[in-house]
């Protein structure tokens, strides 16, 4: 898909990767970027081309209302996401916490895809970028509920891609390891810059790709799935 002249909707566009994607879209000539966010007051006030839209992806009515305001969209970026740190998979709070994360990372992505798919079809097919993770392919106790949401979202992405091809919609799954955003604040780890991720992902979209693995570590993790001893069997406890 060509980004020049496109009209995009980016969820969670007020900070982190979502804001970087919105800026990169405009830098590459997108005509308009709807920036969906829970708090829109200061969002994009200084960026020409940004249109602020109130959005809570965990609220079906909010997603429907946002889609109704954006009938000209031909690129949907499902970026909104949350993470919660768990102490143990046996924690009695695990299910409740997982439900909370699933509402945003999984059901929010599903709701947004369903709401925008007919709009994309009406505008020539266009594309969807689903922001996933390297944790699609491994898990550790600390982020086990979060990882489960990304594996589930990957599975949904793969099914939706097949179906949406019929209406000419390109579906790109974006997998990345730690990025330098609020989500990883306080963790002293190697992190990719969200600007680099945005640029890499949009280049992949423009070259027609359906899956992009941004960093070397993510590529190695996925490659290892077919190894005798895949990475997910030997994941270090934290790093
Ligand atoms: N950071 C990483 O290491 C990493 C790695 C792999 C994948 N990812 C994924 O990348 C995506 C972006 O994350 P990030 O790193 O940029 O994190 P971030 O800086 O914490 O930003 C998350 C964004 O999602 C929004 N959001 C959360 N829940 C929402 C909801 N219910 N409705 C609408 N917006 C909501 C947040 O808005 P508010 O300001 O309202 O909270 C914020 O704009 C997520 O899907 C995340 O899972 C992150």
């Amino acid at each position: 898909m060509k980004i020049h002249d496109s009209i995009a909707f980016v969820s969670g566009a007020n900070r982190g990767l979502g804001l970087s994607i919105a800026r990169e879209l405009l830098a590459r000539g997108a005509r308009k970027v709807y920036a969906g966010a829970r708090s829109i007051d200061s969002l994009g006030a200084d960026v020409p081309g940004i249109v602020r839209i109130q959005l809570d992806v965990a609220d079906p009515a909010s997603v429907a209302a946002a889609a109704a305001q954006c009938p000209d969209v031909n690129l949907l970026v499902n970026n909104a996401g949350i993470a919660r740190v768990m102490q143990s998979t046996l924690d009695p709070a695990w299910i409740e916490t997982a439900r909370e994360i699933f509402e945003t990372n999984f059901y929010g992505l599903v709701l947004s895809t369903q709401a925008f798919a007919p709009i994309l079809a009406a505008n020539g097919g266009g594309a969807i970028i689903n922001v996933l993770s390297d944790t699609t392919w491994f898990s550790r106790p600390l982020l086990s509920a979060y990882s489960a949401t990304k594996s589930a979202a990957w599975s949904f992405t793969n099914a939706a891609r097949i179906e949406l091809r019929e209406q000419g919609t390109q579906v790109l799954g974006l997998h990345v390891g730690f990025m330098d955003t609020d989500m990883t604040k306080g963790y002293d780890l190697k992190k990719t810059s969200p600007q680099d991720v945005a640029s890499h992902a949009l280049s992949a979209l423009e070259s027609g790709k359906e899956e992009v693995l941004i960093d070397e570590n993510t590529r190695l993790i996925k490659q290892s799935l077919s190894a005798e001893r895949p990475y997910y069997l030997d994941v270090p406890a934290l790093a």
Side-chain angles (χ1 to χ4, degrees):
M1 172 182 181
K2 270 179 109 56
I3 286 163
H4 189 78
D5 250 6
S6 65
I7 298 183
F9 184 99
V10 182
S11 68
N14 53 323
R15 58 195 174 92
L17 179 62
L19 182 57
S20 293
I21 291 176
R23 288 184 188 278
E24 184 67 20
L25 283 165
L26 291 169
R28 290 179 184 229
R31 208 175 337 144
K32 196 195 297 180
V33 176
Y34 293 105
R38 288 188 288 194
S39 55
I40 59 171
D41 291 349
S42 61
L43 192 162
D46 58 330
V47 187
I50 293 249
V51 178
R52 296 176 280 178
I53 301 284
Q54 187 73 48
L55 175 74
D56 180 347
V57 297
D59 174 358
S62 173
V63 174
Q69 293 171 72
C70 309
D72 47 0
V73 165
N74 64 355
L75 170 60
L76 168 67
V77 183
N78 283 318
N79 164 77
I82 56 173
R84 299 283 181 265
V85 170
M86 313 289 298
Q87 291 315 318
S88 158
T89 53
L90 308 181
D91 185 338
W94 199 96
I95 290 178
E96 197 185 325
T97 305
R99 283 201 174 109
E100 182 202 355
I101 313 177
F102 263 90
E103 286 297 337
T104 295
N105 295 9
F106 181 68
Y107 295 112
L109 179 145
V110 174
L111 277 171
S112 303
T113 301
Q114 292 181 343
F116 279 92
I119 295 172
L120 298 176
N123 294 313
I128 299 176
I129 300 177
N130 284 345
V131 178
L132 306 170
S133 170
D134 60 350
T135 63
T136 300
W137 299 304
F138 73 94
S139 191
R140 57 168 67 91
L142 205 69
L143 285 171
S144 49
Y146 173 81
S147 301
T149 68
K150 293 298 184 181
S151 299
W154 179 55
S155 180
F156 177 80
T157 298
N158 293 336
R161 179 183 296 114
I162 294 166
E163 200 171 348
L164 294 177
R165 264 188 209 131
E166 287 168 25
Q167 65 172 44
T169 301
Q170 175 190 353
V171 176
L172 175 70
L174 186 173
H175 299 263
V176 62
F178 286 115
M179 283 186 290
D180 193 7
T181 66
D182 292 343
M183 194 176 272
T184 61
K185 215 190 284 180
Y187 287 93
D188 186 17
L189 299 157
K190 191 176 170 213
K191 300 173 190 173
T192 313
S193 97
Q195 291 78 12
D196 288 351
V197 176
S199 171
H200 194 144
L202 294 186
S203 294
L205 185 77
E206 292 203 283
S207 63
K209 291 203 169 142
E210 294 181 308
E211 186 163 86
V212 60
L213 280 50
I214 302 284
D215 52 297
E216 181 62 10
N217 212 36
T218 298
R219 288 189 284 276
L220 290 173
I221 288 165
K222 188 178 177 215
Q223 271 169 27
S224 87
L225 292 175
S226 58
E228 175 81 19
R229 204 162 167 88
Y231 177 75
Y232 61 78
L233 293 180
D234 294 307
V235 181
L238 171 61

